Amino acid sequence: MAKIAVFFGGSSTEHSISIRTGCFICKTLYSMGHSVKPILWTKDGAWLVPLEYRIEIPFESVNSPDSFAEEFQKRYGITASERLPVLDSDLVFLGLHGGMGEDGSVQGFLRVLGIPYTGSEVTASAIAMDKTRANRIFEHTGQNVAPYLEVSKQEYARSPEECVSRLASLGFPQFLKPVEGGSSVSTFKVTEYAGLADSLVRIFSNDSKVMSQAFLAGIEVSCGVLERYRNGELQTIALPATEIVPGGEFFDFESKYKSGGSNEITPARIPEEQMKQVQEFAISAHRALGCRGYSRTDFIIVNGKPHILETNTLPGMTETSLIPQQAKAAGIPMEELFADLIEIALQSR
């Protein structure tokens, strides 16, 4: 069994979701017999690092990120540090989402240290996190992509009217989201011209670039991809896609993470031929971006044709996340899935 450090938390807008992911990962690794050290990266960039391994996080409910950090410190008798202490881990299991946790920054840091880590490497992480650049790759590989535009904070500061007018050319409704965000945090469905400026200001309060995508009416599905070694050969497989029926107007933050916030149906209620096509496109996106270990790609099926929305290189691993649902539908225990992710990381050393 390995000594595994689990990174979770982080400074991105997805901090609270990462806490839930980290707790789920620690619990699963602990049940597998690994020596686990949960390492919490606080919202203000400090590190909370227990001294010992073989620690199971004894609490799972997250009332607030601040209260979790306080309880974490009390539980393990530790103080926050501005610098990450020396890591003596065999492996880092990444439970981070968004921001520097998913954009290749942490991956590059660990690569310099020579410590293996789960998930995609630096380049794939950076490209997939940048939704505009990822869309260009998807287009180049023949995927159907919703019409999109990008606006930077600097452009908006220079000429807000021109930026709003340019985005309005996509028509309404449209979805505005941070170029490098995730978990539908700060994602807004804008239905009229007057709502564009307000949504841009709200996103630019935390992010520097916005991408807008034209609204596509159809069936929303999400499909996970896993890599694994079998008989010495590296296999890439697609899991059964999940159909997402949001409780609100779209699959927003509440729908994703609040119990009962959406109806998630695995396998998706789509014809077998469409399921195969979604799975093929998910594998194509995974390979085109250069992802490693696992990924999850979201689609809208319009008139029978899947249109790609985005690929996540560190998909959520909470009790309500899609990858665990899809693995269960495929008959893959989470312990087996985690073992494959660990082996992929160690083989890539």
Side-chain angles (χ1 to χ4, degrees):
M1 292 295 149
K3 293 168 66 177
I4 301 177
V6 178
F7 281 13
F8 65 113
S11 57
S12 81
T13 52
E14 298 172 73
H15 179 89
S16 61
I17 301 308
S18 179
I19 288 177
R20 291 170 58 180
T21 284
C23 290
F24 183 84
I25 290 172
C26 287
K27 182 178 179 181
T28 304
L29 292 174
Y30 189 84
S31 72
M32 296 167 67
H34 291 292
S35 295
V36 182
K37 179 181 285 191
I39 296 179
L40 177 60
W41 189 10
T42 68
K43 290 193 74 174
D44 58 6
W47 297 90
L48 297 177
V49 185
L51 298 177
E52 305 294 334
Y53 280 85
R54 199 63 185 164
I55 296 174
E56 180 182 18
I57 293 183
F59 48 96
E60 298 181 17
S61 61
V62 183
N63 295 323
S64 75
D66 292 337
S67 65
F68 183 93
E70 291 173 5
E71 179 66 18
F72 193 86
Q73 285 183 275
K74 291 179 184 177
R75 184 77 60 171
Y76 303 125
I78 54 178
T79 57
S81 173
E82 292 183 0
R83 296 185 179 182
L84 181 65
V86 174
L87 287 173
D88 59 346
S89 310
D90 299 319
L91 174 89
V92 171
F93 204 115
L94 291 175
L96 298 165
H97 302 310
M100 289 187 288
E102 199 170 351
D103 69 356
S105 299
V106 169
Q107 289 79 359
F109 167 69
L110 293 172
R111 183 177 179 183
V112 169
L113 294 180
I115 299 175
Y117 54 89
T118 56
S120 295
E121 297 188 77
V122 178
T123 303
S125 300
I127 295 175
M129 193 67 182
D130 190 317
K131 296 179 178 61
T132 305
R133 277 76 197 165
N135 267 3
R136 291 172 184 166
I137 290 175
F138 297 148
E139 289 177 305
H140 183 73
T141 57
Q143 300 252 25
N144 299 310
V145 176
Y148 63 95
L149 290 170
E150 178 183 296
V151 172
S152 71
K153 191 173 184 177
Q154 292 80 4
E155 287 177 313
Y156 186 74
R158 286 195 302 267
S159 180
E161 295 82 5
E162 190 278 331
C163 290
V164 169
S165 178
R166 180 149 52 96
L167 291 180
S169 68
L170 285 175
F172 298 97
Q174 60 179 268
F175 287 98
L176 267 64
K177 62 182 76 174
V179 167
E180 296 185 349
S183 291
S184 296
V185 176
S186 296
T187 296
F188 301 100
K189 182 180 181 181
V190 181
T191 59
E192 59 183 2
Y193 189 95
L196 285 172
D198 178 62
S199 297
L200 287 170
V201 169
R202 292 171 69 181
I203 296 175
F204 285 142
S205 66
N206 291 306
D207 298 273
S208 61
K209 291 185 291 186
V210 168
M211 185 180 79
S212 184
Q213 286 181 301
F215 171 75
L216 295 177
I219 301 170
E220 184 166 357
V221 298
S222 188
C223 185
V225 171
L226 302 178
E227 292 181 0
R228 59 187 187 179
Y229 283 102
R230 295 293 184 269
N231 300 318
E233 296 289 329
L234 180 63
Q235 300 178 353
T236 303
I237 65 167
L239 296 171
T242 299
E243 179 184 349
I244 299 159
V245 183
E249 286 189 277
F250 65 100
F251 196 41
D252 59 4
F253 184 88
E254 289 294 317
S255 295
K256 284 185 177 181
Y257 298 110
K258 184 178 180 180
S259 179
S262 64
N263 189 16
E264 297 161 4
I265 304 162
T266 309
R269 301 170 299 180
I270 55 177
E272 183 178 352
E273 192 58 37
Q274 284 183 21
M275 175 68 79
K276 289 181 179 177
Q277 193 172 30
V278 165
Q279 291 175 317
E280 289 171 1
F281 284 175
I283 291 175
S284 173
H286 180 94
R287 288 174 171 164
L289 295 173
C291 297
R292 185 187 73 178
Y294 65 151
S295 68
R296 200 198 73 233
T297 298
D298 303 332
F299 300 88
I300 293 285
I301 300 176
V302 182
N303 297 324
K305 295 181 179 180
H307 289 65
I308 193 167
L309 297 177
E310 63 181 298
T311 294
N312 302 271
T313 57
L314 288 177
M317 284 288 183
T318 74
E319 64 279 1
T320 60
S321 294
L322 300 182
I323 289 284
Q325 292 183 39
Q326 294 171 8
K328 182 178 180 180
I332 301 173
M334 288 307 298
E335 292 79 6
E336 179 182 324
L337 188 154
F338 276 34
D340 287 332
L341 294 179
I342 290 168
E343 184 179 9
I344 291 288
L346 293 175
Q347 290 283 357
S348 302
R349 189 196 304 257

